[in-house]
Coordinates of all heavy atoms in Angstrom, one line a residue:
M463 N 87.2 93.9 92.5 CA 86.9 92.5 92.3 C 88.2 91.7 91.9 O 88.9 92.2 91.1 CB 85.9 92.5 91.1 CG 85.1 91.3 91.0 SD 83.4 91.3 91.7 CE 82.9 93.0 91.7
E464 N 88.3 90.6 92.5 CA 89.5 89.8 92.3 C 89.2 88.4 91.9 O 88.3 87.8 92.4 CB 90.4 89.7 93.6 CG 91.7 89.1 93.5 CD 92.5 89.1 94.8 OE1 92.0 89.5 95.8 OE2 93.6 88.6 94.7
L465 N 89.8 87.9 90.8 CA 89.6 86.6 90.3 C 90.7 85.7 90.8 O 91.9 86.0 90.7 CB 89.6 86.6 88.8 CG 89.5 85.2 88.1 CD1 88.1 84.7 88.3 CD2 89.8 85.4 86.6
K466 N 90.3 84.5 91.4 CA 91.3 83.6 91.9 C 91.1 82.2 91.3 O 90.0 81.9 90.8 CB 91.1 83.4 93.4 CG 91.4 84.7 94.2 CD 92.8 84.7 94.7 CE 92.9 85.7 95.8 NZ 94.2 85.7 96.4
H467 N 92.1 81.4 91.3 CA 92.0 80.0 90.8 C 92.5 79.0 91.9 O 93.6 79.2 92.4 CB 92.9 79.9 89.5 CG 92.8 78.6 88.8 ND1 93.8 78.0 88.0 CD2 91.7 77.7 88.7 CE1 93.4 76.9 87.5 NE2 92.1 76.7 87.9
D468 N 91.7 78.0 92.1 CA 92.0 77.0 93.1 C 92.1 75.7 92.5 O 91.1 75.3 91.9 CB 91.0 77.1 94.3 CG 91.2 76.1 95.4 OD1 92.4 75.7 95.6 OD2 90.2 75.7 96.1
T469 N 93.2 75.0 92.6 CA 93.2 73.6 92.2 C 93.7 72.7 93.3 O 94.8 73.0 93.9 CB 94.2 73.4 91.0 OG1 95.5 73.9 91.3 CG2 93.7 74.2 89.8
S470 N 93.0 71.7 93.6 CA 93.4 70.7 94.6 C 92.6 69.4 94.3 O 91.8 69.4 93.3 CB 93.0 71.2 96.0 OG 91.6 71.3 96.1
K471 N 92.9 68.4 95.1 CA 92.2 67.2 94.8 C 90.7 67.3 95.0 O 89.9 66.6 94.4 CB 92.8 66.1 95.7 CG 94.2 65.7 95.3 CD 94.6 64.4 96.0 CE 96.1 64.1 95.7 NZ 96.4 63.7 94.4
Q472 N 90.3 68.2 95.9 CA 88.9 68.3 96.2 C 88.2 69.3 95.3 O 87.0 69.3 95.1 CB 88.7 68.8 97.7 CG 88.9 67.7 98.7 CD 90.4 67.5 98.9 OE1 91.2 68.4 98.8 NE2 90.8 66.3 99.3
S473 N 88.9 70.3 94.8 CA 88.3 71.4 94.1 C 89.1 72.0 92.9 O 90.3 72.2 93.1 CB 88.1 72.5 95.1 OG 87.6 73.7 94.5
N474 N 88.5 72.2 91.8 CA 89.1 72.9 90.7 C 88.1 74.0 90.4 O 87.0 73.7 90.0 CB 89.3 72.0 89.5 CG 90.3 70.9 89.7 OD1 91.5 71.2 89.9 ND2 89.9 69.7 89.6
R475 N 88.5 75.2 90.6 CA 87.5 76.3 90.4 C 88.2 77.6 90.3 O 89.3 77.8 90.7 CB 86.6 76.4 91.6 CG 87.2 76.8 92.9 CD 86.2 76.7 94.1 NE 86.8 77.4 95.2 CZ 86.2 78.3 96.0 NH1 85.0 78.7 95.7 NH2 86.8 78.9 97.0
F476 N 87.5 78.5 89.6 CA 87.8 79.9 89.6 C 86.7 80.6 90.5 O 85.6 80.2 90.5 CB 87.7 80.5 88.2 CG 88.8 80.2 87.3 CD1 88.8 79.0 86.5 CD2 90.0 81.0 87.3 CE1 89.9 78.7 85.7 CE2 91.0 80.6 86.5 CZ 91.0 79.5 85.7
Y477 N 87.1 81.6 91.3 CA 86.1 82.3 92.1 C 86.5 83.8 92.2 O 87.6 84.2 91.9 CB 86.0 81.7 93.5 CG 87.3 81.6 94.3 CD1 87.5 82.6 95.3 CD2 88.3 80.7 94.1 CE1 88.7 82.6 96.1 CE2 89.4 80.6 94.8 CZ 89.6 81.6 95.8 OH 90.8 81.6 96.6
L478 N 85.4 84.5 92.4 CA 85.5 86.0 92.5 C 85.4 86.5 93.9 O 84.5 86.0 94.7 CB 84.4 86.6 91.7 CG 84.5 86.4 90.2 CD1 83.2 86.9 89.5 CD2 85.7 87.3 89.6
L479 N 86.2 87.4 94.3 CA 86.2 88.0 95.6 C 85.9 89.5 95.5 O 86.4 90.2 94.6 CB 87.5 87.8 96.4 CG 87.9 86.4 96.7 CD1 89.3 86.4 97.3 CD2 86.9 85.8 97.7
D480 N 85.0 90.0 96.4 CA 84.8 91.4 96.5 C 85.3 91.7 97.9 O 84.6 91.4 98.9 CB 83.3 91.7 96.4 CG 83.1 93.2 96.5 OD1 84.0 94.0 96.5 OD2 81.9 93.6 96.5
G481 N 86.6 92.2 98.0 CA 87.2 92.3 99.3 C 87.5 90.9 99.8 O 88.2 90.1 99.1
E482 N 87.0 90.5 101.0 CA 87.1 89.2 101.5 C 85.9 88.3 101.2 O 86.0 87.1 101.6 CB 87.3 89.3 103.1 CG 88.6 90.0 103.5 CD 89.8 89.3 103.1 OE1 89.9 88.0 103.3 OE2 90.8 89.9 102.6
K483 N 84.9 88.8 100.6 CA 83.7 88.1 100.4 C 83.7 87.4 99.0 O 83.9 88.0 98.0 CB 82.5 89.1 100.4 CG 81.1 88.5 100.2 CD 80.1 89.5 100.3 CE 78.7 88.9 100.2 NZ 77.7 89.9 100.3
E484 N 83.4 86.1 99.1 CA 83.3 85.3 97.8 C 82.0 85.5 97.2 O 80.9 85.4 97.9 CB 83.5 83.8 98.1 CG 83.6 83.0 96.8 CD 83.9 81.5 97.1 OE1 84.8 81.2 97.9 OE2 83.3 80.7 96.4
I485 N 82.0 86.0 96.0 CA 80.7 86.4 95.3 C 80.3 85.5 94.1 O 79.2 85.7 93.6 CB 80.7 87.8 95.0 CG1 81.8 88.1 94.0 CG2 80.8 88.7 96.2 CD1 81.8 89.5 93.3
G486 N 81.2 84.6 93.7 CA 80.9 83.8 92.6 C 81.9 82.7 92.3 O 83.1 82.9 92.8
E487 N 81.5 81.6 91.7 CA 82.5 80.6 91.4 C 82.0 79.8 90.1 O 80.8 79.8 89.8 CB 82.6 79.6 92.5 CG 81.5 78.7 92.8 CD 81.8 77.6 93.8 OE1 82.9 77.4 94.2 OE2 80.8 76.8 94.1
I488 N 83.0 79.2 89.5 CA 82.8 78.2 88.4 C 83.7 77.0 88.7 O 84.8 77.2 89.0 CB 83.0 78.9 87.0 CG1 82.5 77.9 85.9 CG2 84.5 79.2 86.8 CD1 82.5 78.6 84.6
T489 N 83.1 75.8 88.7 CA 83.9 74.6 89.0 C 84.0 73.7 87.8 O 83.2 73.7 86.9 CB 83.3 73.9 90.2 OG1 82.0 73.4 89.9 CG2 83.2 74.8 91.4
Y490 N 85.1 72.9 87.9 CA 85.3 72.0 86.8 C 86.0 70.8 87.3 O 86.7 70.8 88.4 CB 86.1 72.6 85.6 CG 87.5 73.0 86.0 CD1 88.6 72.2 85.7 CD2 87.7 74.3 86.6 CE1 89.9 72.6 86.1 CE2 89.0 74.7 86.9 CZ 90.1 73.8 86.7 OH 91.4 74.2 87.0
S491 N 85.9 69.7 86.6 CA 86.6 68.4 87.0 C 87.2 67.8 85.7 O 86.7 68.1 84.6 CB 85.7 67.4 87.6 OG 84.6 67.1 86.8
Y492 N 88.3 67.1 85.9 CA 88.9 66.4 84.8 C 88.2 65.1 84.5 O 88.1 64.3 85.4 CB 90.4 66.2 85.1 CG 91.3 67.4 84.9 CD1 91.4 68.3 85.9 CD2 91.9 67.7 83.7 CE1 92.2 69.5 85.8 CE2 92.7 68.8 83.5 CZ 92.8 69.7 84.6 OH 93.6 70.8 84.4
I493 N 87.8 64.9 83.3 CA 87.2 63.7 82.8 C 88.4 62.8 82.3 O 88.4 61.6 82.5 CB 86.2 63.9 81.7 CG1 85.0 64.7 82.3 CG2 85.7 62.6 81.1 CD1 84.0 65.2 81.3
S494 N 89.3 63.4 81.7 CA 90.5 62.7 81.2 C 91.7 63.7 81.2 O 91.4 64.9 81.6 CB 90.3 62.1 79.8 OG 90.2 63.2 78.8
E495 N 92.8 63.3 80.8 CA 94.0 64.2 80.8 C 93.7 65.5 80.0 O 94.2 66.6 80.4 CB 95.2 63.5 80.3 CG 96.5 64.2 80.5 CD 97.7 63.4 80.1 OE1 97.8 62.3 80.5 OE2 98.5 63.9 79.3
K496 N 93.0 65.4 78.9 CA 92.8 66.6 78.1 C 91.3 67.1 77.9 O 91.0 67.8 77.1 CB 93.3 66.3 76.7 CG 94.8 66.2 76.6 CD 95.5 67.5 76.8 CE 97.0 67.5 76.7 NZ 97.5 68.8 76.9
L497 N 90.4 66.6 78.8 CA 89.0 66.9 78.8 C 88.5 67.3 80.2 O 88.7 66.6 81.1 CB 88.2 65.8 78.2 CG 86.7 66.0 78.2 CD1 86.3 67.2 77.2 CD2 86.0 64.7 77.8
I498 N 87.9 68.5 80.3 CA 87.3 68.9 81.5 C 85.8 69.1 81.4 O 85.3 69.3 80.3 CB 87.9 70.3 82.0 CG1 87.7 71.4 81.0 CG2 89.4 70.1 82.4 CD1 88.1 72.8 81.5
D499 N 85.1 68.9 82.5 CA 83.7 69.2 82.5 C 83.5 70.4 83.4 O 83.8 70.4 84.6 CB 83.0 67.9 83.1 CG 81.5 68.2 83.3 OD1 80.9 68.9 82.5 OD2 80.9 67.6 84.3
I500 N 82.9 71.4 82.8 CA 82.5 72.6 83.6 C 81.1 72.3 84.2 O 80.2 72.2 83.5 CB 82.5 73.9 82.7 CG1 83.8 74.0 82.0 CG2 82.2 75.1 83.5 CD1 83.8 75.0 80.9
N501 N 81.1 72.1 85.5 CA 79.9 71.5 86.1 C 79.1 72.4 87.0 O 78.0 72.0 87.5 CB 80.3 70.2 86.8 CG 81.4 70.4 87.8 OD1 81.6 71.5 88.4 ND2 82.3 69.4 87.9
H502 N 79.5 73.6 87.3 CA 78.7 74.5 88.2 C 79.2 75.9 88.1 O 80.4 76.2 88.0 CB 78.9 74.0 89.6 CG 78.3 74.9 90.7 ND1 76.9 74.9 90.9 CD2 78.8 75.7 91.6 CE1 76.7 75.7 91.9 NE2 77.8 76.3 92.3
T503 N 78.2 76.8 88.0 CA 78.5 78.2 88.1 C 77.5 78.9 89.0 O 76.3 78.5 89.0 CB 78.3 78.9 86.7 OG1 79.1 78.2 85.8 CG2 78.7 80.3 86.7
E504 N 77.9 79.8 89.9 CA 77.0 80.4 90.8 C 77.5 81.8 91.1 O 78.7 82.0 91.3 CB 76.9 79.7 92.1 CG 75.9 80.2 93.0 CD 75.6 79.3 94.2 OE1 76.1 78.2 94.2 OE2 74.9 79.7 95.1
I505 N 76.6 82.8 91.1 CA 76.9 84.2 91.4 C 76.0 84.6 92.5 O 74.8 84.3 92.5 CB 76.7 85.1 90.2 CG1 77.5 84.7 89.0 CG2 76.9 86.6 90.6 CD1 79.0 84.9 89.2
N506 N 76.5 85.2 93.5 CA 75.7 85.8 94.6 C 74.6 86.6 94.0 O 74.9 87.5 93.2 CB 76.6 86.6 95.6 CG 75.9 87.2 96.7 OD1 74.9 87.9 96.6 ND2 76.5 87.1 97.9
P507 N 73.4 86.4 94.5 CA 72.2 87.2 93.9 C 72.4 88.7 93.9 O 72.0 89.4 93.1 CB 71.0 86.8 94.7 CG 71.4 85.4 95.3 CD 72.9 85.4 95.4
N508 N 73.1 89.2 95.0 CA 73.3 90.6 95.1 C 74.3 91.2 94.0 O 74.4 92.4 93.9 CB 73.9 91.0 96.5 CG 72.9 90.7 97.6 OD1 71.7 90.8 97.4 ND2 73.4 90.3 98.7
Y509 N 75.0 90.3 93.3 CA 76.0 90.7 92.3 C 75.6 90.4 90.9 O 76.3 90.6 89.9 CB 77.3 90.1 92.6 CG 78.0 90.7 93.9 CD1 77.6 90.3 95.1 CD2 78.9 91.7 93.8 CE1 78.2 90.8 96.3 CE2 79.5 92.3 94.9 CZ 79.1 91.8 96.1 OH 79.7 92.4 97.3
R510 N 74.4 89.8 90.7 CA 73.9 89.4 89.4 C 73.7 90.6 88.5 O 73.5 91.7 89.0 CB 72.7 88.6 89.5 CG 73.0 87.2 90.1 CD 71.9 86.2 90.0 NE 72.4 85.0 90.7 CZ 71.6 84.2 91.3 NH1 70.3 84.4 91.3 NH2 72.0 83.1 91.8
G511 N 73.8 90.4 87.2 CA 73.6 91.5 86.2 C 74.8 92.3 86.0 O 74.8 93.4 85.3
Q512 N 76.0 91.8 86.4 CA 77.2 92.6 86.2 C 78.2 91.8 85.3 O 79.4 92.1 85.3 CB 77.9 92.8 87.6 CG 77.1 93.6 88.5 CD 77.8 93.8 89.8 OE1 79.0 94.0 89.9 NE2 77.0 93.8 90.9
N513 N 77.7 90.8 84.6 CA 78.5 90.0 83.7 C 79.6 89.2 84.4 O 80.6 88.8 83.8 CB 79.1 90.8 82.6 CG 78.4 90.7 81.3 OD1 77.5 89.9 81.1 ND2 78.8 91.5 80.3
L514 N 79.4 88.9 85.6 CA 80.4 88.1 86.4 C 80.4 86.7 86.0 O 81.5 86.0 86.0 CB 80.1 88.3 87.9 CG 80.2 89.7 88.4 CD1 79.9 89.7 89.9 CD2 81.5 90.3 88.1
G515 N 79.3 86.1 85.6 CA 79.3 84.7 85.1 C 80.1 84.6 83.8 O 80.9 83.7 83.7
Q516 N 80.0 85.6 83.0 CA 80.8 85.6 81.7 C 82.2 85.7 82.0 O 83.1 85.1 81.4 CB 80.3 86.7 80.8 CG 81.0 86.8 79.5 CD 80.7 85.5 78.6 OE1 79.5 85.2 78.4 NE2 81.7 84.9 78.2
K517 N 82.6 86.5 83.0 CA 84.0 86.7 83.4 C 84.5 85.3 83.9 O 85.7 85.0 83.6 CB 84.1 87.7 84.5 CG 85.5 88.0 85.0 CD 85.5 89.1 86.0 CE 86.9 89.5 86.3 NZ 87.0 90.7 87.1
L518 N 83.7 84.5 84.6 CA 84.2 83.2 85.1 C 84.3 82.2 83.9 O 85.3 81.5 83.8 CB 83.2 82.7 86.1 CG 83.2 83.4 87.4 CD1 82.0 83.0 88.3 CD2 84.5 83.2 88.2
V519 N 83.4 82.3 83.0 CA 83.4 81.4 81.8 C 84.7 81.8 81.0 O 85.4 80.9 80.6 CB 82.2 81.6 80.9 CG1 82.4 80.9 79.5 CG2 81.0 81.0 81.6
D520 N 85.0 83.0 80.8 CA 86.2 83.4 80.1 C 87.5 82.9 80.8 O 88.4 82.5 80.1 CB 86.2 85.0 79.9 CG 85.2 85.5 78.9 OD1 84.6 84.7 78.1 OD2 84.9 86.7 79.0
A521 N 87.5 83.0 82.1 CA 88.6 82.5 82.8 C 88.9 81.0 82.6 O 90.0 80.6 82.3 CB 88.5 82.8 84.3
I522 N 87.8 80.2 82.6 CA 88.0 78.8 82.4 C 88.3 78.5 80.9 O 89.1 77.5 80.6 CB 86.8 78.0 83.0 CG1 87.3 76.6 83.3 CG2 85.7 78.0 82.0 CD1 86.3 75.9 84.2
V523 N 87.8 79.2 80.0 CA 88.1 79.0 78.6 C 89.5 79.4 78.3 O 90.2 78.7 77.6 CB 87.1 79.9 77.7 CG1 87.6 80.0 76.3 CG2 85.7 79.3 77.7
N524 N 90.0 80.4 78.9 CA 91.5 80.8 78.8 C 92.3 79.7 79.3 O 93.4 79.3 78.7 CB 91.8 82.1 79.5 CG 91.2 83.3 78.7 OD1 90.9 83.2 77.5 ND2 90.9 84.4 79.4
L525 N 92.0 79.1 80.5 CA 92.7 78.0 81.0 C 92.7 76.8 80.0 O 93.8 76.2 79.8 CB 92.1 77.5 82.3 CG 92.7 76.2 82.9 CD1 93.9 76.5 83.8 CD2 91.6 75.5 83.7
A526 N 91.6 76.5 79.5 CA 91.5 75.4 78.5 C 92.4 75.6 77.3 O 93.1 74.8 76.9 CB 90.1 75.2 78.1
R527 N 92.4 76.8 76.8 CA 93.2 77.2 75.6 C 94.7 77.1 76.0 O 95.5 76.6 75.2 CB 92.8 78.5 75.1 CG 91.5 78.5 74.4 CD 91.0 79.9 73.9 NE 89.8 79.8 73.1 CZ 88.8 80.7 73.1 NH1 89.0 81.9 73.8 NH2 87.7 80.6 72.4
E528 N 95.1 77.7 77.1 CA 96.5 77.7 77.5 C 97.0 76.3 77.7 O 98.2 76.0 77.4 CB 96.6 78.4 78.8 CG 96.5 79.9 78.8 CD 96.6 80.6 80.1 OE1 97.0 79.9 81.1 OE2 96.1 81.7 80.2
H529 N 96.2 75.3 78.1 CA 96.7 74.0 78.4 C 96.2 73.0 77.3 O 96.3 71.8 77.6 CB 96.2 73.5 79.8 CG 96.8 74.4 80.9 ND1 98.1 74.2 81.3 CD2 96.3 75.4 81.6 CE1 98.4 75.1 82.2 NE2 97.3 75.8 82.4
N530 N 95.7 73.5 76.2 CA 95.3 72.6 75.1 C 94.3 71.6 75.6 O 94.4 70.4 75.2 CB 96.5 72.0 74.4 CG 96.2 71.5 73.0 OD1 95.3 72.1 72.4 ND2 96.9 70.5 72.6
L531 N 93.3 72.1 76.3 CA 92.2 71.2 76.8 C 90.9 71.4 76.0 O 90.7 72.4 75.5 CB 91.9 71.5 78.3 CG 93.0 71.4 79.3 CD1 92.6 71.9 80.7 CD2 93.5 69.9 79.4
K532 N 90.1 70.4 76.0 CA 88.8 70.5 75.5 C 87.8 70.5 76.7 O 88.2 70.1 77.8 CB 88.4 69.2 74.7 CG 89.2 69.1 73.4 CD 88.8 70.3 72.4 CE 89.6 70.1 71.1 NZ 89.3 71.2 70.2
A533 N 86.7 71.1 76.5 CA 85.7 71.3 77.7 C 84.3 70.9 77.2 O 83.9 71.2 76.1 CB 85.7 72.7 78.2
K534 N 83.6 70.2 78.1 CA 82.2 70.0 78.0 C 81.5 70.7 79.1 O 82.1 71.0 80.1 CB 81.8 68.5 77.9 CG 81.9 67.8 79.2 CD 81.5 66.3 79.0 CE 80.9 65.9 80.3 NZ 79.5 65.4 80.3
A535 N 80.3 71.1 78.9 CA 79.6 71.8 79.9 C 78.3 71.1 80.4 O 77.3 71.0 79.7 CB 79.2 73.2 79.4
S536 N 78.4 70.5 81.6 CA 77.2 69.9 82.2 C 76.5 71.0 83.0 O 75.3 70.8 83.4 CB 77.6 68.7 83.1 OG 78.4 69.1 84.2
C537 N 77.1 72.1 83.3 CA 76.4 73.3 83.9 C 75.5 73.9 82.9 O 76.0 74.3 81.8 CB 77.5 74.3 84.4 SG 76.8 75.9 84.9
P538 N 74.2 74.1 83.2 CA 73.3 74.7 82.2 C 73.6 76.1 81.8 O 73.5 76.4 80.6 CB 71.9 74.6 82.9 CG 72.1 73.6 84.0 CD 73.5 73.6 84.4
Y539 N 74.2 76.9 82.7 CA 74.5 78.2 82.3 C 75.6 78.2 81.3 O 75.6 78.9 80.3 CB 75.0 79.0 83.6 CG 75.6 80.4 83.2 CD1 74.8 81.4 82.9 CD2 77.0 80.6 83.2 CE1 75.3 82.7 82.5 CE2 77.5 81.8 82.9 CZ 76.7 82.8 82.5 OH 77.2 84.1 82.2
V540 N 76.7 77.4 81.5 CA 77.8 77.4 80.6 C 77.4 76.8 79.3 O 77.8 77.3 78.2 CB 79.0 76.6 81.2 CG1 80.2 76.6 80.2 CG2 79.5 77.4 82.5
A541 N 76.6 75.7 79.3 CA 76.1 75.1 78.1 C 75.3 76.2 77.2 O 75.5 76.2 76.0 CB 75.2 73.9 78.4
N542 N 74.6 77.0 77.9 CA 73.8 78.1 77.2 C 74.8 79.1 76.6 O 74.6 79.5 75.4 CB 72.9 78.7 78.2 CG 71.9 79.7 77.5 OD1 71.5 79.5 76.4 ND2 71.7 80.9 78.1
V543 N 75.8 79.5 77.3 CA 76.8 80.4 76.8 C 77.5 79.8 75.6 O 77.7 80.5 74.6 CB 77.8 80.8 77.9 CG1 79.0 81.6 77.3 CG2 77.2 81.6 79.0
F544 N 77.9 78.5 75.7 CA 78.6 77.9 74.6 C 77.7 77.8 73.4 O 78.2 77.9 72.2 CB 79.0 76.4 75.0 CG 80.3 76.4 75.8 CD1 80.9 77.5 76.3 CD2 80.9 75.1 76.1 CE1 82.1 77.4 77.1 CE2 82.1 75.0 76.8 CZ 82.7 76.2 77.3
D545 N 76.4 77.6 73.6 CA 75.5 77.4 72.4 C 75.2 78.7 71.7 O 74.8 78.7 70.5 CB 74.2 76.8 72.9 CG 74.3 75.3 73.2 OD1 75.4 74.7 72.8 OD2 73.4 74.8 73.8
K546 N 75.4 79.9 72.4 CA 75.0 81.2 71.8 C 76.0 81.7 70.9 O 75.7 82.7 70.1 CB 74.8 82.2 73.0 CG 73.5 82.0 73.7 CD 73.3 83.1 74.7 CE 71.9 83.0 75.3 NZ 71.7 84.0 76.3
T547 N 77.2 81.2 70.9 CA 78.3 81.8 70.0 C 79.3 80.7 69.6 O 79.4 79.7 70.2 CB 79.0 82.9 70.8 OG1 80.1 83.4 70.0 CG2 79.7 82.4 72.1
A548 N 79.9 81.0 68.5 CA 80.9 80.1 67.9 C 82.3 80.3 68.5 O 83.3 79.6 68.2 CB 81.0 80.1 66.4
Q549 N 82.5 81.4 69.4 CA 83.8 81.8 69.8 C 84.4 80.7 70.8 O 85.6 80.8 71.0 CB 83.8 83.1 70.5 CG 83.2 83.1 71.9 CD 83.2 84.5 72.5 OE1 82.5 85.4 72.0 NE2 83.9 84.8 73.5
Y550 N 83.6 79.8 71.2 CA 84.2 78.7 72.1 C 84.3 77.4 71.4 O 84.6 76.4 72.0 CB 83.3 78.6 73.4 CG 83.1 79.9 74.1 CD1 81.9 80.5 74.2 CD2 84.2 80.5 74.7 CE1 81.7 81.6 74.9 CE2 84.1 81.7 75.4 CZ 82.8 82.3 75.5 OH 82.7 83.5 76.1
D551 N 84.0 77.3 70.1 CA 84.0 76.0 69.4 C 85.3 75.3 69.4 O 85.4 74.1 69.4 CB 83.6 76.2 67.9 CG 82.1 76.5 67.8 OD1 81.3 76.4 68.8 OD2 81.6 76.8 66.6
D552 N 86.4 76.1 69.5 CA 87.7 75.5 69.5 C 88.0 74.6 70.8 O 88.9 73.8 70.7 CB 88.8 76.5 69.4 CG 88.9 77.5 70.5 OD1 87.8 78.0 70.9 OD2 90.0 77.8 71.0
I553 N 87.3 74.9 71.9 CA 87.6 74.1 73.1 C 86.5 73.1 73.4 O 86.6 72.2 74.3 CB 87.8 75.0 74.3 CG1 86.5 75.7 74.7 CG2 89.0 75.9 74.1 CD1 86.4 76.0 76.1
K554 N 85.3 73.1 72.7 CA 84.3 72.2 72.9 C 84.7 70.8 72.7 O 85.3 70.4 71.7 CB 83.0 72.5 72.1 CG 82.3 73.8 72.5 CD 81.1 73.9 71.6 CE 80.4 75.3 71.8 NZ 79.3 75.4 70.8
G555 N 84.4 69.9 73.7 CA 84.8 68.5 73.6 C 83.7 67.6 73.6 O 82.6 67.8 73.8

């Protein structure tokens, strides 16, 4: 399993590859210079139950921390993850 990060004018996302097959992604957009909105998470149904969604959340949280960003979650999955624990409170915007 390989984690990749793609940033372009059309797409800001982390995604997971199993060989050449894309099996999951989490996308975000910049609301301002220091605030991102995590707006979508999806895992291929054949790969669910392997904590891959959490792996994607952790990747974007690490990005936010490294770049001193705050994050809001319009994605219901990420909003639920953020609400379940205080470990992400430092980046919530």
Side-chain angles (χ1 to χ4, degrees):
M463 202 98 24
E464 185 178 4
L465 177 69
K466 298 264 195 174
H467 187 206
D468 180 25
T469 58
S470 67
K471 290 192 187 287
Q472 288 79 29
S473 172
N474 292 300
R475 69 186 188 127
F476 285 91
Y477 59 101
L478 292 167
L479 295 173
D480 185 5
E482 296 294 316
K483 181 179 183 179
E484 186 174 317
I485 59 169
E487 74 170 351
I488 190 167
T489 63
Y490 63 97
S491 59
Y492 282 85
I493 295 172
S494 69
E495 190 175 307
K496 291 292 183 180
L497 178 65
I498 59 173
D499 175 32
I500 306 168
N501 50 36
H502 174 73
T503 307
E504 187 170 352
I505 301 295
N506 178 310
N508 296 327
Y509 289 83
R510 291 189 181 152
Q512 299 179 40
N513 257 356
L514 299 178
Q516 184 64 53
K517 184 174 185 170
L518 291 169
V519 170
D520 289 343
I522 206 162
V523 165
N524 289 337
L525 172 86
R527 287 177 176 147
E528 286 174 21
H529 295 282
N530 200 27
L531 300 171
K532 295 292 184 182
K534 71 177 211 123
S536 61
C537 169
Y539 171 77
V540 178
N542 187 41
V543 170
F544 278 11
D545 287 344
K546 284 185 175 179
T547 178
Q549 79 183 63
Y550 305 115
D551 286 355
D552 62 313
I553 66 150
K554 289 183 190 176

